[in-house]
Structures are given as structure tokens and as C-alpha cells.
Amino acid sequence: MTWTLISASPSPYARKVRIALQEKNLPFTLQTEVPWDTTTKTPQYNPLEKLPVLILDDGKTAIYESHYIMEWLEAKYPATSLMPDDVDGKLFAKQVEVITDGICDALVLAFFENKREEGKQSGPWKERQMRKADGGLQALATFVDQAGGGEFLIGNKLTLADIAIASVLGWLSLRWPDHEWQRKHPQLKKYFDRLDQRESFANTRPAPQNISDPVV
Ligand SMILES: N[C@@H](CCC(=O)N[C@@H](CS(=O)(=O)O)C(=O)NCC(=O)O)C(=O)O
């Protein structure tokens, strides 16, 4: 029996793990779900009811929370490392992931606020979440500008930082196609476009999902 990754087609969090598993040549079966629907299996493996969840060969042991799954993979399977070699580089890559996950978290909150009935949506709440997302995008753009235009953000190899940035930007492009990040941050867009051609990125691009049960 091989590993199973519970994922969702648009999930930026799950995409990080899908890319890492491919880059590390670790075989897995992709189980695509809608975690918001009552049919989801996610709560059977994660008490927090969130995907991604990596289920090991025994079909029971579950590794969950994307940043933890990434850390677990790197610790258990250090060959084809996705982290910089030096301590400061490792910490910087994790700081980048804090920002990308924080952008995702804010955008998820805004996304579902938009799903509330017209009269029940909170404008200030949505503005606050979009402000966090835009602040995070500015931080990423600054990192990329400071990196000087190389293919990868840190050093000369693919790391967690690149995987995390591409995952959030790919999802942003899917869910907020009119967002102006590409016009505001041309270097970030150039960096993303080049990264997104890499095989493990090209074959994990996000796709919309149909949520059939009411969420909010
Ligand atoms: N911090 C978590 C967030 C994961 C998350 O929010 N996953 C969503 C799906 S998606 O937004 O990634 O597509 C989920 O399972 N949501 C279900 C729920 O929150 O109950 C992680 O990094 O793994």
C-alpha cells in the first residue's frame, strides 16, 4: 500500500505538499475531496477537519497541517532537500511560508465572507482580510526584488520558499482573477511565471471545485 494525500483541486496548502512529494520522488495516491461537503473523509484523519492530510502506508497514520507535512517530509526524506543548507536560509524559507500561508488564510476568510447572503456580509471584515493579503504580497514582492531576479528565491536551487510562493500566487490567480498583483509587482509575476513552468508546478496547477453543501 502506498501513501495517500487528501487534497482539494484549488488548495494552495495541498499544492505545496503535492509539489514536494513529486520533487522528492515519493509515490502517493491523490485523493481529491471537497472538505466542505459532508462526503469528505478529512475529519476521519484530522480532528481540525482540514486538508491536506498525508496518510501513510498503514492507512491510518495521518500527517496534517501543510507546513508540518513539509517539515515532516524534509526531516524523514532529506534526499533532494527542499531547504537551503544554512540555518539562516532555512529560517528565511520558513518565514516566507508563514507569509504565504497567512495570505491564504486571509483570502479563505474573505472568500467565504463573500459567500454570505448580501445583507450579512461584513465590508470591514473583508477589507481587513484583503489588507493582510496585500501586505503579504508586498512582502513577497520585496523578497523577490531583493533576490535580484534569479530563478529561485534562495540560492540556486528550488526550496520551500519557491513552492510556497508559487502555490499562493497560483491560487490567487484562480480565485481572484481581477486582483492587480501582477500589475503592481511585475518582478514577482516574472519570477512566478518562470517557476510555474517547472514540471511539478505545471502538473499541480489549481482548478475550481464545486462546493455542494452550504458552508456559511
Ligand atoms: N493551516 C492549514 C489550512 C488548510 C486549509 O484551510 N484547508 C482547507 C481547504 S483549502 O482551502 O486548502 O482548499 C480546508 O480543509 N478547509 C476545511 C475547513 O476549514 O473546515 C494547512 O496549512 O494545512
Side-chain angles (χ1 to χ4, degrees):
M1 187 168 175
T2 182
W3 292 353
T4 298
L5 179 68
I6 302 182
S7 175
S9 56
S11 177
Y13 308 97
R15 191 182 180 194
K16 290 189 292 181
V17 180
R18 293 169 67 191
I19 291 171
L21 288 167
Q22 288 190 48
E23 291 288 338
K24 287 178 173 284
N25 294 310
L26 294 169
F28 68 102
T29 302
L30 188 68
Q31 182 173 311
T32 300
E33 294 200 351
V34 179
W36 310 101
D37 286 352
T38 50
T39 53
T40 182
K41 300 282 186 290
T42 298
Q44 294 174 22
Y45 298 97
N46 177 0
L48 304 174
E49 301 191 5
K50 289 178 181 274
L51 56 81
V53 180
L54 184 64
I55 304 165
L56 305 187
D57 300 52
D58 62 5
K60 289 196 296 286
T61 309
I63 318 290
Y64 45 80
E65 187 64 34
S66 63
H67 69 84
Y68 176 65
I69 300 171
M70 299 298 276
E71 187 149 10
W72 187 91
L73 287 173
E74 196 60 27
K76 291 277 195 177
Y77 299 88
T80 318
S81 173
L82 297 173
M83 290 298 274
D85 300 327
D86 64 304
V87 171
D88 289 332
K90 290 183 199 310
L91 289 171
F92 179 41
K94 287 185 177 296
Q95 180 193 6
V96 169
E97 189 183 30
V98 164
I99 292 172
T100 59
D101 282 4
I103 294 169
C104 293
D105 295 346
L107 290 176
V108 166
L109 291 174
F111 177 80
F112 283 105
E113 191 67 21
N114 280 333
K115 283 197 173 291
R116 294 192 191 286
E117 290 165 45
E118 269 305 310
K120 295 185 177 169
Q121 294 185 22
S122 163
W125 177 257
K126 283 193 286 185
E127 283 148 28
R128 172 183 287 270
Q129 304 315 323
M130 295 316 290
R131 199 173 58 236
K132 292 174 185 218
D134 290 338
L137 288 164
Q138 179 58 64
L140 297 180
T142 302
F143 290 150
V144 168
D145 293 346
Q146 289 170 347
E151 183 180 358
F152 303 113
L153 188 74
I154 308 171
N156 55 9
K157 70 167 187 174
L158 181 80
T159 70
L160 169 66
D162 304 307
I163 294 170
I165 293 174
S167 295
V168 65
L169 295 181
W171 183 64
L172 181 57
S173 307
L174 172 76
R175 285 288 191 225
W176 274 266
D178 302 333
H179 193 285
E180 301 227 309
W181 71 272
Q182 304 188 31
R183 182 189 59 75
K184 278 178 70 178
H185 307 301
Q187 288 309 313
L188 182 64
K189 172 172 169 37
K190 193 164 152 240
Y191 159 84
F192 169 70
D193 286 346
R194 184 168 47 197
L195 261 187
D196 210 41
Q197 298 311 310
R198 189 180 179 97
E199 188 186 352
S200 63
F201 290 63
N203 63 33
T204 56
R205 289 209 184 102
Q209 70 185 347
N210 175 41
I211 303 175
S212 27
D213 295 344
V215 181
V216 291

Coordinates of all heavy atoms in Angstrom, one line a residue, residues 99-176:
I99 N 4.4 33.8 5.6 CA 3.7 34.8 4.9 C 2.7 34.3 3.9 O 1.5 34.7 3.8 CB 4.7 35.8 4.2 CG1 5.5 36.5 5.3 CG2 4.0 36.8 3.3 CD1 6.6 37.4 4.8
T100 N 3.2 33.3 3.1 CA 2.3 32.7 2.1 C 1.0 32.0 2.7 O -0.1 32.2 2.3 CB 3.0 31.7 1.2 OG1 3.5 30.6 2.0 CG2 4.2 32.3 0.5
D101 N 1.2 31.3 3.8 CA 0.1 30.6 4.5 C -0.8 31.7 5.1 O -2.1 31.6 5.0 CB 0.6 29.7 5.6 CG 1.1 28.3 5.0 OD1 1.1 28.2 3.8 OD2 1.4 27.5 5.8
G102 N -0.2 32.8 5.6 CA -1.0 33.9 6.1 C -1.9 34.6 5.1 O -3.0 34.9 5.3
I103 N -1.3 34.7 3.9 CA -2.1 35.3 2.7 C -3.3 34.4 2.4 O -4.4 34.8 2.3 CB -1.2 35.5 1.5 CG1 -0.1 36.5 1.7 CG2 -2.0 35.8 0.3 CD1 1.0 36.6 0.7
C104 N -3.0 33.1 2.3 CA -4.0 32.1 2.1 C -5.1 32.1 3.1 O -6.3 32.2 2.8 CB -3.4 30.7 2.0 SG -2.3 30.4 0.6
D105 N -4.7 32.2 4.4 CA -5.7 32.2 5.5 C -6.6 33.4 5.4 O -7.8 33.3 5.5 CB -5.0 32.2 6.9 CG -4.1 31.0 7.1 OD1 -4.3 30.0 6.4 OD2 -3.3 31.0 8.0
A106 N -6.0 34.5 5.1 CA -6.8 35.8 5.0 C -7.8 35.7 3.8 O -9.0 36.1 3.9 CB -5.9 37.0 4.9
L107 N -7.3 35.2 2.7 CA -8.1 35.1 1.5 C -9.2 34.1 1.6 O -10.3 34.2 1.1 CB -7.2 34.8 0.2 CG -6.3 35.9 -0.2 CD1 -5.4 35.5 -1.3 CD2 -7.1 37.2 -0.6
V108 N -9.0 33.0 2.4 CA -10.0 32.0 2.6 C -11.2 32.7 3.4 O -12.3 32.5 3.1 CB -9.5 30.8 3.4 CG1 -10.6 29.9 4.0 CG2 -8.6 29.9 2.5
L109 N -10.8 33.5 4.4 CA -11.8 34.2 5.2 C -12.6 35.1 4.3 O -13.8 35.2 4.4 CB -11.1 34.9 6.4 CG -10.5 34.0 7.5 CD1 -9.8 34.9 8.5 CD2 -11.6 33.2 8.2
A110 N -11.9 35.9 3.4 CA -12.6 36.8 2.6 C -13.5 36.1 1.6 O -14.6 36.5 1.3 CB -11.6 37.7 1.8
F111 N -13.0 34.9 1.1 CA -13.7 34.1 0.1 C -15.1 33.7 0.7 O -16.1 33.8 0.0 CB -12.9 32.9 -0.3 CG -13.6 32.0 -1.3 CD1 -13.6 32.3 -2.6 CD2 -14.2 30.8 -0.8 CE1 -14.3 31.4 -3.5 CE2 -14.8 29.9 -1.7 CZ -14.9 30.2 -3.1
F112 N -15.0 33.2 1.9 CA -16.3 32.7 2.5 C -17.2 33.8 3.0 O -18.4 33.7 3.0 CB -16.0 31.7 3.6 CG -15.7 30.3 3.0 CD1 -14.4 29.9 3.0 CD2 -16.6 29.6 2.3 CE1 -14.0 28.7 2.4 CE2 -16.3 28.4 1.7 CZ -15.0 27.9 1.7
E113 N -16.6 35.0 3.3 CA -17.4 36.1 3.7 C -18.3 36.5 2.5 O -19.4 36.9 2.5 CB -16.6 37.3 4.1 CG -17.3 38.5 4.8 CD -18.0 38.1 6.1 OE1 -17.5 37.1 6.7 OE2 -19.0 38.8 6.5
N114 N -17.6 36.4 1.3 CA -18.3 36.8 0.0 C -19.5 35.8 -0.3 O -20.4 36.1 -1.1 CB -17.3 36.7 -1.2 CG -16.5 38.0 -1.2 OD1 -16.9 39.1 -0.8 ND2 -15.3 37.9 -1.8
K115 N -19.4 34.6 0.4 CA -20.5 33.6 0.1 C -21.7 33.8 1.0 O -22.7 33.2 0.9 CB -19.9 32.2 0.4 CG -19.0 31.7 -0.8 CD -18.8 30.2 -0.8 CE -18.1 29.7 -2.0 NZ -19.0 29.8 -3.2
R116 N -21.6 34.7 2.0 CA -22.7 35.0 2.9 C -23.8 35.8 2.1 O -23.5 36.4 1.1 CB -22.3 35.9 4.1 CG -21.4 35.2 5.0 CD -21.2 35.9 6.4 NE -20.1 35.3 7.1 CZ -20.1 34.2 7.7 NH1 -21.2 33.5 7.7 NH2 -19.1 33.7 8.4
E117 N -25.0 35.7 2.6 CA -26.1 36.4 1.9 C -25.7 37.9 1.9 O -25.1 38.4 2.8 CB -27.4 36.3 2.7 CG -28.0 34.9 2.6 CD -29.1 34.8 3.7 OE1 -29.9 35.7 3.8 OE2 -29.1 33.7 4.4
E118 N -26.1 38.6 0.8 CA -25.8 40.0 0.6 C -25.8 40.8 1.9 O -24.9 41.3 2.3 CB -26.7 40.7 -0.4 CG -26.2 40.6 -1.9 CD -24.8 41.2 -2.0 OE1 -24.6 42.3 -1.6 OE2 -24.0 40.5 -2.6
G119 N -26.9 40.8 2.6 CA -27.1 41.7 3.7 C -26.3 41.3 4.9 O -26.2 42.0 5.9
K120 N -25.7 40.1 4.9 CA -24.9 39.6 6.1 C -23.4 39.6 5.9 O -22.7 39.2 6.8 CB -25.4 38.1 6.3 CG -26.8 38.0 6.8 CD -27.2 36.6 7.2 CE -28.7 36.6 7.6 NZ -29.2 35.2 7.8
Q121 N -23.0 40.2 4.8 CA -21.5 40.3 4.6 C -21.0 41.5 5.3 O -21.6 42.5 5.3 CB -21.2 40.4 3.1 CG -21.6 39.1 2.3 CD -21.1 39.3 0.8 OE1 -20.2 40.0 0.5 NE2 -21.8 38.5 0.0
S122 N -19.8 41.3 5.9 CA -19.2 42.5 6.6 C -18.1 43.1 5.7 O -17.1 42.4 5.5 CB -18.5 42.0 7.9 OG -17.6 43.0 8.4
G123 N -18.3 44.3 5.3 CA -17.3 45.0 4.5 C -16.0 45.2 5.2 O -15.0 44.8 4.7
P124 N -16.1 45.7 6.4 CA -14.8 45.9 7.2 C -14.0 44.6 7.4 O -12.8 44.6 7.3 CB -15.3 46.5 8.5 CG -16.6 47.1 8.2 CD -17.2 46.3 7.2
W125 N -14.7 43.5 7.5 CA -14.1 42.2 7.7 C -13.3 41.9 6.5 O -12.2 41.5 6.4 CB -15.1 41.2 8.1 CG -14.5 39.8 8.3 CD1 -14.5 38.8 7.4 CD2 -13.7 39.3 9.4 NE1 -13.9 37.7 7.8 CE2 -13.4 38.0 9.1 CE3 -13.3 39.9 10.6 CZ2 -12.6 37.2 9.9 CZ3 -12.5 39.1 11.4 CH2 -12.2 37.7 11.1
K126 N -14.0 42.0 5.3 CA -13.4 41.7 4.0 C -12.2 42.6 3.7 O -11.2 42.2 3.3 CB -14.4 41.8 2.9 CG -15.4 40.6 2.9 CD -16.2 40.5 1.6 CE -17.3 41.6 1.5 NZ -18.1 41.4 0.3
E127 N -12.4 43.9 4.0 CA -11.3 44.8 3.8 C -10.1 44.5 4.6 O -8.9 44.5 4.2 CB -11.8 46.3 4.1 CG -12.7 46.9 3.1 CD -13.7 47.9 3.7 OE1 -13.3 48.5 4.7 OE2 -14.8 48.0 3.1
R128 N -10.3 44.1 5.9 CA -9.2 43.7 6.7 C -8.4 42.5 6.2 O -7.2 42.5 6.1 CB -9.7 43.3 8.1 CG -8.7 42.7 9.1 CD -9.3 42.4 10.4 NE -9.6 43.6 11.2 CZ -8.8 44.1 12.1 NH1 -7.6 43.6 12.2 NH2 -9.1 45.2 12.8
Q129 N -9.2 41.5 5.7 CA -8.5 40.3 5.1 C -7.8 40.6 3.9 O -6.6 40.2 3.7 CB -9.6 39.2 4.8 CG -10.4 38.8 6.0 CD -9.6 38.6 7.3 OE1 -8.5 38.1 7.3 NE2 -10.2 39.0 8.4
M130 N -8.4 41.4 3.0 CA -7.7 41.8 1.7 C -6.4 42.7 2.1 O -5.4 42.6 1.4 CB -8.6 42.5 0.8 CG -9.8 41.7 0.3 SD -9.4 40.0 -0.2 CE -8.4 40.3 -1.7
R131 N -6.5 43.5 3.1 CA -5.4 44.3 3.5 C -4.2 43.4 3.9 O -3.1 43.6 3.6 CB -5.8 45.3 4.6 CG -4.9 46.5 4.8 CD -5.4 47.5 5.8 NE -5.7 46.9 7.1 CZ -6.8 46.9 7.7 NH1 -7.9 47.4 7.1 NH2 -7.0 46.4 9.0
K132 N -4.5 42.4 4.7 CA -3.5 41.4 5.1 C -2.9 40.7 3.9 O -1.6 40.6 3.8 CB -4.1 40.4 6.0 CG -4.5 40.9 7.4 CD -5.2 39.8 8.2 CE -5.8 40.4 9.5 NZ -5.7 39.4 10.6
A133 N -3.7 40.3 3.0 CA -3.2 39.6 1.8 C -2.3 40.6 1.0 O -1.2 40.2 0.5 CB -4.4 39.2 0.9
D134 N -2.8 41.8 0.8 CA -1.9 42.8 0.0 C -0.6 43.1 0.7 O 0.4 43.2 0.1 CB -2.7 44.0 -0.3 CG -3.9 43.8 -1.2 OD1 -3.8 42.8 -2.0 OD2 -4.9 44.6 -1.3
G135 N -0.7 43.1 2.0 CA 0.6 43.4 2.8 C 1.5 42.2 2.6 O 2.7 42.4 2.4
G136 N 1.0 41.0 2.7 CA 1.8 39.8 2.5 C 2.4 39.8 1.1 O 3.6 39.4 0.9
L137 N 1.6 40.1 0.1 CA 2.1 40.1 -1.3 C 3.2 41.1 -1.5 O 4.2 40.9 -2.2 CB 0.9 40.4 -2.3 CG -0.1 39.3 -2.5 CD1 -1.4 39.9 -3.1 CD2 0.5 38.2 -3.2
Q138 N 3.1 42.3 -0.8 CA 4.1 43.3 -0.9 C 5.4 42.7 -0.3 O 6.5 42.9 -0.9 CB 3.7 44.6 -0.2 CG 4.8 45.7 -0.2 CD 5.2 46.1 -1.6 OE1 4.3 46.6 -2.4 NE2 6.4 45.8 -2.0
A139 N 5.3 42.0 0.8 CA 6.5 41.4 1.4 C 7.1 40.4 0.5 O 8.4 40.4 0.3 CB 6.1 40.7 2.7
L140 N 6.3 39.6 -0.2 CA 6.9 38.6 -1.1 C 7.6 39.3 -2.3 O 8.7 39.0 -2.7 CB 5.8 37.7 -1.7 CG 5.1 36.8 -0.7 CD1 4.0 35.9 -1.4 CD2 6.0 35.9 0.1
A141 N 6.9 40.4 -2.8 CA 7.5 41.2 -3.9 C 8.8 41.8 -3.5 O 9.8 41.8 -4.3 CB 6.5 42.2 -4.4
T142 N 8.9 42.2 -2.3 CA 10.2 42.8 -1.8 C 11.3 41.8 -1.7 O 12.4 42.0 -2.2 CB 9.9 43.5 -0.4 OG1 8.9 44.5 -0.5 CG2 11.2 44.1 0.1
F143 N 10.9 40.6 -1.2 CA 11.9 39.5 -1.2 C 12.4 39.2 -2.6 O 13.6 39.0 -2.8 CB 11.3 38.2 -0.6 CG 10.9 38.3 0.9 CD1 9.9 37.6 1.4 CD2 11.7 39.1 1.8 CE1 9.5 37.6 2.8 CE2 11.4 39.1 3.1 CZ 10.3 38.4 3.6
V144 N 11.5 39.1 -3.5 CA 11.9 38.7 -4.9 C 12.7 39.8 -5.5 O 13.8 39.5 -6.1 CB 10.6 38.4 -5.8 CG1 10.9 38.3 -7.3 CG2 9.9 37.1 -5.3
D145 N 12.3 41.1 -5.3 CA 13.1 42.2 -5.8 C 14.5 42.1 -5.3 O 15.5 42.3 -6.0 CB 12.5 43.5 -5.5 CG 11.1 43.7 -6.2 OD1 10.9 43.0 -7.2 OD2 10.4 44.6 -5.8
Q146 N 14.6 41.8 -3.9 CA 15.9 41.8 -3.3 C 16.8 40.6 -3.7 O 18.0 40.6 -3.7 CB 15.8 41.8 -1.8 CG 15.3 43.1 -1.2 CD 14.9 43.0 0.3 OE1 14.7 41.9 0.8 NE2 14.6 44.1 0.9
A147 N 16.1 39.6 -4.2 CA 16.8 38.3 -4.6 C 17.5 38.6 -6.0 O 18.4 37.8 -6.4 CB 15.9 37.1 -4.7
G148 N 17.2 39.7 -6.7 CA 17.9 40.0 -7.9 C 17.6 39.3 -9.1 O 18.4 39.2 -10.1
G149 N 16.4 38.7 -9.2 CA 16.0 38.2 -10.5 C 16.4 36.8 -10.8 O 16.3 36.3 -11.9
G150 N 16.9 36.0 -9.8 CA 17.3 34.6 -10.1 C 16.1 33.7 -10.2 O 15.0 34.1 -9.9
E151 N 16.3 32.5 -10.7 CA 15.2 31.6 -10.9 C 14.6 31.2 -9.6 O 13.4 31.0 -9.5 CB 15.7 30.3 -11.6 CG 14.6 29.3 -11.9 CD 15.1 28.0 -12.6 OE1 16.4 28.0 -12.9 OE2 14.3 27.1 -12.9
F152 N 15.4 31.1 -8.5 CA 14.9 30.7 -7.2 C 15.1 31.8 -6.2 O 16.1 32.6 -6.4 CB 15.7 29.4 -6.8 CG 15.6 28.3 -7.8 CD1 16.7 27.8 -8.4 CD2 14.3 27.7 -8.0 CE1 16.6 26.8 -9.4 CE2 14.2 26.6 -8.9 CZ 15.3 26.2 -9.6
L153 N 14.3 31.8 -5.2 CA 14.4 32.9 -4.2 C 15.7 32.9 -3.4 O 16.3 33.9 -3.1 CB 13.2 32.9 -3.3 CG 13.1 34.2 -2.4 CD1 12.6 35.4 -3.2 CD2 12.1 34.0 -1.2
I154 N 16.0 31.6 -3.0 CA 17.2 31.5 -2.0 C 18.2 30.6 -2.7 O 17.9 29.4 -3.0 CB 16.7 30.9 -0.7 CG1 15.5 31.6 -0.1 CG2 17.9 30.8 0.3 CD1 14.9 30.9 1.1
G155 N 19.3 31.1 -2.9 CA 20.4 30.4 -3.5 C 20.1 29.9 -5.0 O 19.3 30.6 -5.7
N156 N 20.7 28.8 -5.4 CA 20.5 28.4 -6.8 C 19.8 27.1 -6.9 O 20.0 26.3 -7.8 CB 21.8 28.3 -7.5 CG 22.8 27.4 -6.7 OD1 22.3 26.7 -5.8 ND2 24.0 27.4 -7.1
K157 N 18.9 26.8 -5.9 CA 18.1 25.6 -6.0 C 16.6 25.8 -5.6 O 16.4 26.8 -4.8 CB 18.7 24.4 -5.2 CG 18.6 24.6 -3.7 CD 19.0 23.3 -3.0 CE 18.7 23.4 -1.5 NZ 18.9 22.2 -0.8
L158 N 15.7 24.9 -6.0 CA 14.3 25.0 -5.6 C 14.2 24.8 -4.1 O 14.8 23.8 -3.5 CB 13.5 24.0 -6.3 CG 12.0 24.0 -6.0 CD1 11.3 25.1 -6.8 CD2 11.4 22.6 -6.3
T159 N 13.5 25.7 -3.4 CA 13.3 25.4 -1.9 C 11.8 25.6 -1.6 O 11.0 26.1 -2.4 CB 14.1 26.4 -1.0 OG1 13.5 27.7 -1.2 CG2 15.6 26.4 -1.4
L160 N 11.5 25.4 -0.4 CA 10.2 25.6 0.2 C 9.6 27.0 -0.1 O 8.5 27.1 -0.4 CB 10.2 25.4 1.7 CG 9.0 25.8 2.6 CD1 7.8 24.9 2.3 CD2 9.4 25.8 4.1
A161 N 10.5 27.9 -0.1 CA 10.1 29.3 -0.4 C 9.5 29.4 -1.7 O 8.4 30.0 -1.9 CB 11.3 30.3 -0.2
D162 N 10.1 28.9 -2.7 CA 9.6 28.9 -4.1 C 8.3 28.2 -4.2 O 7.3 28.7 -4.8 CB 10.6 28.3 -5.1 CG 12.0 28.9 -5.0 OD1 12.1 30.2 -5.1 OD2 12.9 28.2 -4.8
I163 N 8.2 27.0 -3.6 CA 7.0 26.2 -3.6 C 5.8 26.9 -3.0 O 4.7 27.0 -3.5 CB 7.2 24.8 -2.9 CG1 8.3 24.0 -3.7 CG2 5.9 24.0 -2.8 CD1 8.8 22.8 -3.0
A164 N 6.1 27.5 -1.8 CA 5.0 28.2 -1.1 C 4.6 29.5 -1.8 O 3.3 29.7 -1.9 CB 5.5 28.6 0.3
I165 N 5.5 30.2 -2.4 CA 5.1 31.4 -3.2 C 4.3 31.1 -4.4 O 3.2 31.7 -4.6 CB 6.3 32.3 -3.5 CG1 7.0 32.9 -2.3 CG2 5.9 33.4 -4.5 CD1 8.3 33.6 -2.6
A166 N 4.7 30.1 -5.1 CA 4.0 29.7 -6.4 C 2.6 29.2 -6.0 O 1.6 29.5 -6.7 CB 4.8 28.7 -7.2
S167 N 2.5 28.5 -4.9 CA 1.2 27.9 -4.5 C 0.2 29.0 -4.2 O -1.0 28.9 -4.6 CB 1.4 27.0 -3.3 OG 2.2 25.8 -3.7
V168 N 0.6 30.0 -3.5 CA -0.4 31.1 -3.1 C -0.7 31.9 -4.4 O -1.8 32.3 -4.6 CB 0.1 32.0 -1.9 CG1 1.3 32.8 -2.2 CG2 -1.0 32.9 -1.5
L169 N 0.3 32.2 -5.2 CA 0.0 33.1 -6.4 C -0.8 32.3 -7.4 O -1.7 32.9 -8.0 CB 1.4 33.5 -7.0 CG 2.2 34.5 -6.1 CD1 3.5 34.8 -6.9 CD2 1.4 35.7 -5.7
G170 N -0.6 31.0 -7.5 CA -1.5 30.3 -8.5 C -2.9 30.3 -8.0 O -3.8 30.4 -8.8
W171 N -3.1 30.1 -6.7 CA -4.5 30.1 -6.2 C -5.1 31.5 -6.3 O -6.3 31.7 -6.6 CB -4.4 29.7 -4.7 CG -5.7 29.5 -4.0 CD1 -6.7 28.7 -4.3 CD2 -6.2 30.3 -2.9 NE1 -7.8 28.9 -3.5 CE2 -7.5 29.8 -2.6 CE3 -5.6 31.3 -2.1 CZ2 -8.2 30.4 -1.5 CZ3 -6.3 31.8 -1.1 CH2 -7.6 31.4 -0.8
L172 N -4.3 32.5 -6.0 CA -4.8 33.9 -6.1 C -5.3 34.2 -7.5 O -6.4 34.8 -7.8 CB -3.7 34.9 -5.7 CG -4.0 36.4 -5.7 CD1 -5.1 36.8 -4.8 CD2 -2.7 37.2 -5.3
S173 N -4.5 33.7 -8.5 CA -4.9 33.9 -9.9 C -6.2 33.2 -10.2 O -7.0 33.7 -11.0 CB -3.8 33.4 -10.8 OG -2.5 34.0 -10.4
L174 N -6.4 32.1 -9.6 CA -7.6 31.3 -9.9 C -8.8 31.9 -9.2 O -9.9 32.1 -9.8 CB -7.5 29.9 -9.3 CG -8.7 29.0 -9.4 CD1 -9.0 28.5 -10.8 CD2 -8.6 27.8 -8.4
R175 N -8.7 32.3 -7.9 CA -9.8 32.7 -7.1 C -10.1 34.2 -7.3 O -11.2 34.7 -7.1 CB -9.6 32.4 -5.6 CG -9.8 30.9 -5.3 CD -11.2 30.6 -5.4 NE -11.5 29.2 -4.8 CZ -12.3 28.4 -5.4 NH1 -12.9 28.7 -6.6 NH2 -12.5 27.2 -4.9
W176 N -9.0 35.0 -7.5 CA -9.2 36.5 -7.6 C -8.6 36.9 -9.0 O -7.6 37.6 -9.0 CB -8.5 37.2 -6.5 CG -9.4 37.3 -5.3 CD1 -10.2 38.4 -4.9 CD2 -9.5 36.3 -4.2 NE1 -10.8 38.1 -3.7 CE2 -10.4 36.9 -3.3 CE3 -9.0 35.1 -4.0 CZ2 -10.8 36.2 -2.1 CZ3 -9.4 34.4 -2.8 CH2 -10.3 34.9 -1.9

